[in-house]
Amino acid sequence: MKPIDDHRDLAAWRKAISVGGKVYMATRQLPLEERGDLGPLLRGSAVSIARHIAEGAVRGNRAEFLQFLHLALRSLSQLEAQMTIVVDQGLLPTDASALNDLTELGQLLTELIQSLTLSGRQAHARACSPPLLPRKMPRTPAPLASG
């Protein structure tokens, strides 16, 4: 995995921004009586996904980045549950709910978490394995003097 120069380099962050925009548009389609309660809840969950990815990326250490990616995944799960209920209650049509995008974002986050976890294990294994010593060549016996 190449070093991350900026959180905007991450496909998961870009997808989270896209999902956030779709959630904002979707909340405008909620019935008026639901906009005050559900709107802020849905928007807050959507914004927190991108926010956690960005904050984790600038932490500068893998363990903290992973912790923030897990927070983003939790926010994504909350948003998915909220959107599913909204769609099931007929408050939004499925195509406006961004549920397909949420699935894709979940896959991107999971892949990023797995990649960071695996690269961390590989780095740990390299750090903990003993250095290879040069192999000694077997000594060949000196030829016997004839006499």
Side-chain angles (χ1 to χ4, degrees):
M1 181 176 179
K2 78 175 188 96
I4 298 164
D5 295 325
D6 192 278
H7 61 274
R8 291 172 285 225
D9 295 338
L10 297 169
W13 182 82
R14 290 191 305 271
K15 186 66 177 181
I17 293 297
S18 172
V19 165
K22 289 179 181 182
V23 168
Y24 265 77
M25 288 190 320
T27 59
R28 291 184 193 116
Q29 297 177 35
L30 288 169
L32 284 175
E33 65 272 8
E34 298 296 339
R35 288 185 193 171
D37 293 331
L38 283 174
L41 187 66
L42 294 167
R43 290 189 304 268
S45 294
V47 167
S48 71
I49 299 167
R51 186 182 70 231
H52 288 313
I53 295 168
E55 186 174 352
V58 299
R59 287 297 178 128
N61 107 23
R62 182 185 333 252
E64 285 187 271
F65 189 17
L66 281 167
Q67 180 182 357
F68 277 90
L69 290 174
H70 283 285
L71 289 172
L73 202 53
R74 285 199 293 260
S75 294
L76 175 67
S77 296
Q78 290 173 354
L79 180 58
E80 185 177 30
Q82 294 159 356
M83 277 296 196
T84 300
I85 292 168
V86 165
V87 169
D88 287 351
Q89 292 300 308
L91 300 173
L92 278 178
T94 303
D95 61 333
S97 70
L99 283 171
N100 290 336
D101 293 292
L102 296 178
T103 301
E104 184 182 342
L105 178 54
Q107 290 169 342
L108 289 170
L109 280 171
T110 300
E111 289 169 7
L112 182 55
I113 289 168
Q114 288 171 345
S115 176
L116 286 168
T117 302
L118 179 62
S119 65
R121 286 186 189 137
Q122 289 170 343
H124 179 78
R126 282 192 304 273
C128 291
S129 54
L132 294 175
L133 299 175
R135 290 179 64 190
K136 291 184 179 180
M137 298 302 292
R139 286 185 67 188
T140 55
L144 294 174
S146 36

